[in-house]
Amino acid sequence: MTSNTLRFRPPAGAGHCPRPVPGAALRLFLFHHAGGSHLVYRDWITHFPADWEIHLLDAPGRGRLTDVPACADAERLVDFFHDEIVLAMDRPFAFFGHSMGGLAAYELTNRLAAEGLPLPAWLGLSARGAPRQPLPTDNRHRMPDAELRRHLARMGGTPPEVLEDPDIWQLFAPMIRNDLRLVETWSPRPHTPPLSVPLSVFGGADDVVVSPERLAAWEQYAQRFLGLHLFDGDHFYFRSRPAEMVRLITEQVRTATAGRPATGAAR
């Protein structure tokens, strides 16, 4: 890979960088949940170290990408993110993904490894269970509207007006169902090697979607597991604790990168 290939330019599609940092020590990419957008992280930015550059990613079909067709499966979603993130490898970078975003971050890390490209210095997965084959009970994307709205209410995170207003629901329902189908039909590739990058896992003790046991099971999928960080709360346990989450993420990244060279990305 030539130096010209690695010269970073701001992503034109998925990425939103609210605070560009020339000469940043680290670029952190944040991946959002099913049915969501980068706005879930809007309160996090000011809490990160001043020399970190934070990139908020959006999947197609939402926000300023409303006119871009939604990705039907995880492989296409990884394709979408991949072509932009490979331009950001001129300095250390890290991934954090919540729920569907955790799946995207995990699969993107595997894709980079398979291609022999630089890897993130750290991977953080939130409210995303360890890999397993789809089960017959993975059917939220097929639930009738009323049942799905009740389920989303139990999960937390979805604004009440989306669930209670029929017109707003009809606007958002196709995107929500598409994202849930993407997550629930994903299958791990056979013989995928354990992650070689440091991995930290986060979740809510009262999550109705992902149990603490499934979160803890990530340990067997990583060569360097930095631990499970469990909080009181539901699937969106972090909503009320942005500063605490950012502080913990910062600590985990620094633990992961301790002793690494100051430049370049993890391999």
Side-chain angles (χ1 to χ4, degrees):
M1 183 174 293
T2 66
S3 58
N4 288 335
T5 304
L6 291 175
R7 188 175 297 123
F8 179 67
R9 60 178 174 79
H16 169 60
C17 180
R19 190 187 67 185
V21 180
L26 179 98
R27 290 193 177 103
L28 177 63
F29 293 88
L30 304 178
F31 300 77
H32 65 76
H33 60 286
S37 74
H38 76 269
L39 294 176
V40 72
Y41 300 118
R42 63 186 177 275
D43 297 330
W44 291 27
I45 306 304
T46 59
H47 299 289
F48 281 109
D51 61 350
W52 288 19
E53 189 172 81
I54 310 304
H55 290 259
L56 310 179
L57 301 180
D58 273 323
R62 67 214 74 213
R64 58 194 177 79
L65 301 178
T66 300
D67 295 333
V68 180
C71 297
D73 54 54
E75 185 171 0
R76 295 182 189 180
L77 184 60
V78 170
D79 288 342
F80 181 75
F81 291 137
H82 172 278
D83 292 343
E84 296 182 345
I85 287 177
V86 294
L87 300 172
M89 295 177 173
D90 60 332
R91 65 192 65 248
F93 63 98
F95 295 158
F96 176 90
H98 178 68
S99 198
M100 181 183 78
L103 171 59
Y106 169 68
E107 281 289 80
L108 181 55
T109 301
N110 285 332
R111 174 81 65 85
L112 296 177
E115 294 173 345
L117 293 174
L119 300 179
W122 174 81
L123 174 62
L125 301 180
S126 168
R128 174 65 204 176
R132 62 164 172 74
Q133 294 298 322
L135 301 176
T137 53
D138 296 332
N139 62 356
R140 291 175 296 165
H141 65 283
R142 295 193 296 266
M143 287 178 174
D145 275 358
E147 185 179 357
L148 179 55
R149 290 200 302 270
R150 288 193 297 270
H151 176 77
L152 294 174
R154 291 195 301 272
M155 286 178 61
T158 304
E161 56 269 23
V162 173
L163 303 178
E164 296 169 3
D165 186 302
D167 293 332
I168 298 179
W169 170 253
Q170 290 304 317
L171 182 64
F172 283 91
M175 178 184 68
I176 293 171
R177 289 188 182 278
N178 177 85
D179 289 356
L180 291 176
R181 181 175 64 249
L182 182 156
V183 171
E184 294 180 334
T185 58
W186 173 79
S187 296
R189 289 182 178 83
H191 312 302
T192 299
L195 292 162
S196 62
V197 305
L199 171 66
S200 303
V201 178
F202 309 81
D206 302 315
D207 191 338
V208 298
V209 179
V210 185
S211 69
E213 290 75 20
R214 282 200 66 206
L215 295 173
W218 274 108
E219 183 171 7
Q220 62 187 296
Y221 293 90
Q223 296 177 16
R224 186 179 175 195
F225 185 65
L226 299 184
L228 168 61
H229 307 273
L230 203 61
F231 296 84
D232 293 334
D234 57 24
H235 196 67
F236 292 88
Y237 63 91
F238 57 77
R239 286 280 193 174
S240 62
R241 45 174 64 96
E244 182 181 359
M245 281 299 299
V246 169
R247 183 170 60 253
L248 179 56
I249 289 170
T250 302
E251 291 172 355
Q252 293 294 291
V253 172
R254 287 175 172 163
T255 296
T257 57
R260 291 180 63 250
T263 60
R267 293 303 300 264

